[in-house]
């Protein structure tokens, strides 16, 4: 979801690797060890949680998390929690990185010291204030100065223990005085509207003096004064109200201007007296990649986008804009991600990959090394399979991987690593059964392989067979090196990276998956002497189970099916596929005439057939909504129930299910996936009500009939087709940023084209890193890229200048 700014959309995303913590403080009990997990928070809203690592003071997590950030935030925070015997969790410490500082740590493994956490340091949100200093003439002709402080509203206050009932205190403080006033309490909102004005006498009355606007008697006294605004959460508990943040403003800055209005971020309370050693809580290793894309309207990108999309038709393809991006980026992966998404969006991915794959095959000398390097072709195909094949992996591998993670059968076949009481033959048999089952589901899944992947495999097979006509197996190895080696094997090895499991599996399961992955990879490789593939003798012995012709035949049949040119219709898959599940809170739908319309926690499940909820996981569903009955899925405005992260699922007869997700990232995920599965429903709505129907009327448009058609157009949502599940302008903006970052290399490549075309002699050493087949064509493309990037760079610079002019001290 983009945050709108004037004429511009801002997209934010973050990719985090949570490595490990070390030297955590010991537990006060006799055991001294802790059971710890780590959470990722936007300000104080938790959006991700790692697995619990038991009995360790140096827990290793090794978990990755990626999300689109759907709102503004100030800090990206990481908390380490300790789970104790009574299942109560206590915070050990935190790492909080300010949004402005995220670039400092961009894509670098960094150790951060854990900081202490207390209520006074946990601050988020902002306050909107208006201050006016004026002189008042009394009845006796005497003048004094009054300060009017207007507290308008706050935004984004933290929710404490599930509730927020905020109020503000306003204090005028000086060396010899302190006067405080308080707003009303606003119930159940973390975006309260106060709009209350408080008056304070600033100076004692003095004789009226016409020659000066403010004849303040004791200027020094005023310069030492400040206005302080404190935000509190009114608590029903006897412990007193909770501090939410404060703001301190010196009055002297009002002497330049008598009135001032701005937004201010709330700050933590300055306790001044806490002197804790910073190094007594241990540290946490993180790798954070935060990306912010400032995307203009589509027409700004036309020249660069058209140049990129023409890449498949450029002869030779090495002179195309997309290929040049791969040449200048430090890592091919950097270029592959936005290129693949852009070409998928515009339906040009197959011709583009066919062109670069064909060029790579022509440069390959040995059929045994085909597509083995980390080339642009390999990275683009990897990325396409990851995007287009995610659902295919879920259908094929998820059921059996779930079973492996839950059942914990021993499968260790290395005699050195056997645990006491384990039997090597039993373990081999367990592993053999798993490999057999996974091999069978993969080789029987050809009909489910996405069309776009089949079309790419067809072009790989054709290029390879044409280039190496004497090798009958190359048509298979060209395809198997992707589908087995770079798709199924990595998904089995690290199922969490392919969204097959929520967390990295435990060590025993991880070892089982490693052994399965190695065997499947070898089965799919079709190499001649397979046992020689294994460095370990126990793996070679185990592989003898599979040294039968039927396995090779099954692989060839599967590869033939997924790389054939006849485009198949997607067969509808009969069994339901689980797409997403988890606890959320829903509002009763009011089916019973006198039932309470209260909120209850329920386990929600979404498959490609239906959306259901039940009391807890595994129970019989209390409600089932067939996918064809989902007519729209939209966000719900907060004022409806004074609850955040709510959305609505609209059904026939305008029945609406109101649901609250656990955080903003999860709400976005549910809305996206529900929209996607219901996108092709024939009766989808075009308009909806963004607020709820309460007390006899719709809160948004005030219409009184509950069946009144909606008052707001439905959002476009995500088309069911993967090719359109992408923002083309955002991807072009990313490619522009990469070209801009590597501008020195583009210029170096231009020089190389000049030198090659002029001298055509031996290449200079510094230019030989680039692939340049046709210097003239490449030079032409480079010139157009540099012009296009320069134009966009000017637009960004102008936008920054305009924004800087509008930003004033203290404003948001």
């Amino acid at each position: 979801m983009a945050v709108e700014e004037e004429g511009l959309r801002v997209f934010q995303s973050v990719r985090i690797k949570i490595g490990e913590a070390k030297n955590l403080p010991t537990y006060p009990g006799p055991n001294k060890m802790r059971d710890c997990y780590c959470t990722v928070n936007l300000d104080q809203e938790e959006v991700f949680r790692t697995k619990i690592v038991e009995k360790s003071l140096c827990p290793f997590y090794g978990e990755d998390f990626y999300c689109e950030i759907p709102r503004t935030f100030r800090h990206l925070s990481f908390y380490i929690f300790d789970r104790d015997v009574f299942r109560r969790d206590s915070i050990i410490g935190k790492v909080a990185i300010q949004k402005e500082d995220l670039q400092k740590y961009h894509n670098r493994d960094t150790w951060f010291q854990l900081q202490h956490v207390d209520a006074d340091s946990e601050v988020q949100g902002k306050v909107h204030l208006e201050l006016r200093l004026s002189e008042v003439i009394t009845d006796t002709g005497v003048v004094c100065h009054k300060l009017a402080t207007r507290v308008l509203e706050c935004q984004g206050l933290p929710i404490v223990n599930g509730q927020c009932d905020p109020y503000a205190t306003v204090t005028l403080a000086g060396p010899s005085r302190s006067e405080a006033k308080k707003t009303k309490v606003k119930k159940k909102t973390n975006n309260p509207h106060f709009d209350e004005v408080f008056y304070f006498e600033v100076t004692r009355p003095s004789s009226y003096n016409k020659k000066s606007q403010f004849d303040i008697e004791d200027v020094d006294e005023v310069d030492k004064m400040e206005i302080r605004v404190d935000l509190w959460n009114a608590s029903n508990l006897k412990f007193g109200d909770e501090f939410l943040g404060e703001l301190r403003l010196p009055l002297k800055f009002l002497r330049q201007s008598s009135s001032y209005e701005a937004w201010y971020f709330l700050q933590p309370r300055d306790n001044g007296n806490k002197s804790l050693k910073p190094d007594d809580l241990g540290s946490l290793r993180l790798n954070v990649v935060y990306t912010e894309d400032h995307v203009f309207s589509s027409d700004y990108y036309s020249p660069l986008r058209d140049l990129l999309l023409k890449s498949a038709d450029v002869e030779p393809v090495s002179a195309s804009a997309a290929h040049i991006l791969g040449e200048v980026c430090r890592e091919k992966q950097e270029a592959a991600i936005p290129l693949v998404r852009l070409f998928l969006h515009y339906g040009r991915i197959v011709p583009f990959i066919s062109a670069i794959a064909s060029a790579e095959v022509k440069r390959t000398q040995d059929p045994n090394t085909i597509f083995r390097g980390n080339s642009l072709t390999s990275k683009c195909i990897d990325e396409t399979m990851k995007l287009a094949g995610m659902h295919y992996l879920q259908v094929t591998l998820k059921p059996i991987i779930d079973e492996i993670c839950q059942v914990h059968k021993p499968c260790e076949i290395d005699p050195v690593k056997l645990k006491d009481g384990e039997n090597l033959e039993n373990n081999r048999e367990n592993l053999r059964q798993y490999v057999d089952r996974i091999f069978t589901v993969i080789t029987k899944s050809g009909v489910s392989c996405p069309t776009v992947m089949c079309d790419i495999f067809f072009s790989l097979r054709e290029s390879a067979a044409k280039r190496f006509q004497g090798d009958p197996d190359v048509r298979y190895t060209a395809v198997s090196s992707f589908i087995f080696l770079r798709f199924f094997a990595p998904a089995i090895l690290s199922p969490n990276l392919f969204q097959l499991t929520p967390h990295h599996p435990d060590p025993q399961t991880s070892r089982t998956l490693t052994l399965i992955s190695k065997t499947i990879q070898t089965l799919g490789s079709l190499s001649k002497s397979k046992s020689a593939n294994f460095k370990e003798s126990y793996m070679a012995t185990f592989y003898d189970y599979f040294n039968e012709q039927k396995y090779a035949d099954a692989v060839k049949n599967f590869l033939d099916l997924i790389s054939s040119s006849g485009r198949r219709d997607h067969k509808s898959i009969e069994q339901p596929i689980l797409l997403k599940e988890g606890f959320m809170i829903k509002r009763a739908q009011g089916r019973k005439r006198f039932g309470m319309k209260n909120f209850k926690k329920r386990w929600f499940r979404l498959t490609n057939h239906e959306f259901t909820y039940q009391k807890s996981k595994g129970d019989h569903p209390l409600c089932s909504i067939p996918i064809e009955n989902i007519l729209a899925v939209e966000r719900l405005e907060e004022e409806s129930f004074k609850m955040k992260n709510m959305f609505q699922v609209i059904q026939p007869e305008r029945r609406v299910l109101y649901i609250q997700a656990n955080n903003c990232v999860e709400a976005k995920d549910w809305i996206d996936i529900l929209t996607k599965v219901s996108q092709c429903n024939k009766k989808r709505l075009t308009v909806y009500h963004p607020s709820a129907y309460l007390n006899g009327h719709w809160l948004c448009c005030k219409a009184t009939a509950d069946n009144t058609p909606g008052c707001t157009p439905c959002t476009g949502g995500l088309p069911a087709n993967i090719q359109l599940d992408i923002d083309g302008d955002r991807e072009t903006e990313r490619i522009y940023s990469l070209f801009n970052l590597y501008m020195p290399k583009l210029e170096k490549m231009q020089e190389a084209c000049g030198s090659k075309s002029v001298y055509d002699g031996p290449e200079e050493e510094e230019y030989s890193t680039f692939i340049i087949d046709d210097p003239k064509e490449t030079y032409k493309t480079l010139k157009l890229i540099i012009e296009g990037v320069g134009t966009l760079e000017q637009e960004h610079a102008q936008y920054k200048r305009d924004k800087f002019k509008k930003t004033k001290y203290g404003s948001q």
Side-chain angles (χ1 to χ4, degrees), residues 63 105 237 241 258 419 425 437 464 612 661 667-668 673 746 752 792:
E63 295 203 35
Y105 310 107
L237 305 170
D241 297 346
S258 58
K419 290 184 187 156
E425 277 311 308
R437 284 173 60 194
T612 60
K668 181 183 184 300
I673 196 161
L746 285 171
L792 279 167

Side-chain angles (χ1 to χ4, degrees), residues 344 349-350 353 380-393 445-446 448-461 479 482-484 486-488 558 561-564 567-568 570 722-723:
L344 265 174
I349 191 70
V350 177
I353 286 182
C380 283
I381 296 174
D382 287 354
E383 199 54 38
T384 307
M385 292 192 301
K386 213 181 260 183
L387 282 172
M390 202 58 94
H391 184 243
Y392 177 37
L393 281 178
S445 71
S448 312
C449 185
T451 312
V452 69
M453 283 168 62
C454 296
D455 290 347
I456 288 168
F457 295 149
F458 173 68
S459 74
L460 298 184
R461 170 187 173 137
V479 178
F482 285 104
I483 193 78
F484 281 102
R486 306 174 81 118
F487 185 63
F488 284 120
F558 170 65
L561 182 57
I562 63 170
S563 61
S564 59
R567 295 171 69 96
R568 300 176 317 284
H570 237 10
I722 175 77
Q723 298 186 5

Side-chain angles (χ1 to χ4, degrees), residues 72 166 216 240 279 302 326 388 506 612 668 733 747:
T72 54
I216 297 176
D279 56 353
S302 295
D506 61 81
T612 60
K668 181 183 184 300
E733 167 64 30
E747 287 162 351

Side-chain angles (χ1 to χ4, degrees), residues 206 295 320 324 365 367 472 485 530 578 668 697 703 759 766 771 800:
S206 65
V295 181
S320 69
I324 288 169
Q365 299 306 315
L485 205 71
K530 294 189 170 176
L578 179 64
K668 181 183 184 300
H697 68 272
Y759 301 112
E766 58 177 324
I771 292 176
K800 280 180 191 157

Side-chain angles (χ1 to χ4, degrees), residues 264-486:
Y264 298 91
F265 282 130
L266 290 167
Q267 302 299 333
R269 192 153 39 189
D270 182 15
N271 281 350
N273 53 2
K274 290 195 177 172
S275 55
L276 290 157
K277 285 194 303 200
D279 56 353
D280 58 3
L281 292 178
S283 50
L284 179 64
R285 180 164 63 87
L286 299 168
N287 184 315
V288 180
V289 177
Y290 170 73
T291 312
E292 196 173 283
D293 299 319
H294 293 253
V295 181
F296 294 111
S297 59
S298 204
D299 46 327
Y300 284 87
Y301 297 104
S302 295
L304 184 59
R305 185 176 52 232
D306 295 347
L307 190 62
L308 287 158
L309 292 174
K310 273 197 335 220
S311 294
D313 308 321
V314 173
E315 283 285 339
V317 74
S318 60
S320 69
H323 194 280
I324 288 169
L325 182 67
E327 287 297 291
V328 297
C329 280
R330 195 178 69 213
E331 298 194 3
K332 305 288 184 206
Q333 180 85 356
E334 273 185 304
I337 292 174
L339 283 174
V340 164
R341 295 174 72 88
L342 183 74
F343 284 112
L344 265 174
H345 180 62
Y346 287 102
R348 301 279 296 144
I349 191 70
V350 177
F352 170 62
I353 286 182
S354 301
I356 57 173
S358 175
E360 185 177 326
V361 169
K362 280 178 191 157
R363 286 194 291 272
T364 305
Q365 299 306 315
D366 178 358
N368 294 318
T369 62
I370 197 162
F371 301 126
R372 285 297 158 96
N374 278 332
S375 61
L376 183 64
T377 309
S378 303
K379 291 296 182 192
C380 283
I381 296 174
D382 287 354
E383 199 54 38
T384 307
M385 292 192 301
K386 213 181 260 183
L387 282 172
M390 202 58 94
H391 184 243
Y392 177 37
L393 281 178
Q394 301 272 336
V395 178
T396 315
L397 295 181
K398 188 169 171 40
I400 189 163
I401 284 185
D402 283 347
E403 185 190 317
I404 293 168
C405 292
Q406 284 156 14
V407 178
H408 290 294
K409 275 188 189 171
C411 294
E412 182 54 74
I413 56 169
D414 180 353
V416 181
K417 291 185 178 171
L418 275 190
K419 290 184 187 156
D420 291 345
E422 281 187 0
N423 177 305
L424 186 59
E425 277 311 308
N426 287 352
N427 288 10
R428 268 198 197 130
E429 181 54 24
N430 289 341
L431 185 62
R432 190 190 67 75
Q433 286 180 8
Y434 278 147
V435 170
D436 231 343
R437 284 173 60 194
I438 285 186
F439 178 79
T440 306
V441 295
I442 289 173
T443 50
K444 290 256 184 339
S445 71
V447 74
S448 312
C449 185
T451 312
V452 69
M453 283 168 62
C454 296
D455 290 347
I456 288 168
F457 295 149
F458 173 68
S459 74
L460 298 184
R461 170 187 173 137
E462 293 297 289
S463 300
K466 199 165 150 191
R467 170 83 173 87
F468 300 105
Q469 291 174 5
D471 187 333
D473 279 344
V474 76
R475 52 198 272 220
Y476 294 117
T477 51
V479 178
S480 71
S481 63
F482 285 104
I483 193 78
F484 281 102
L485 205 71
R486 306 174 81 118

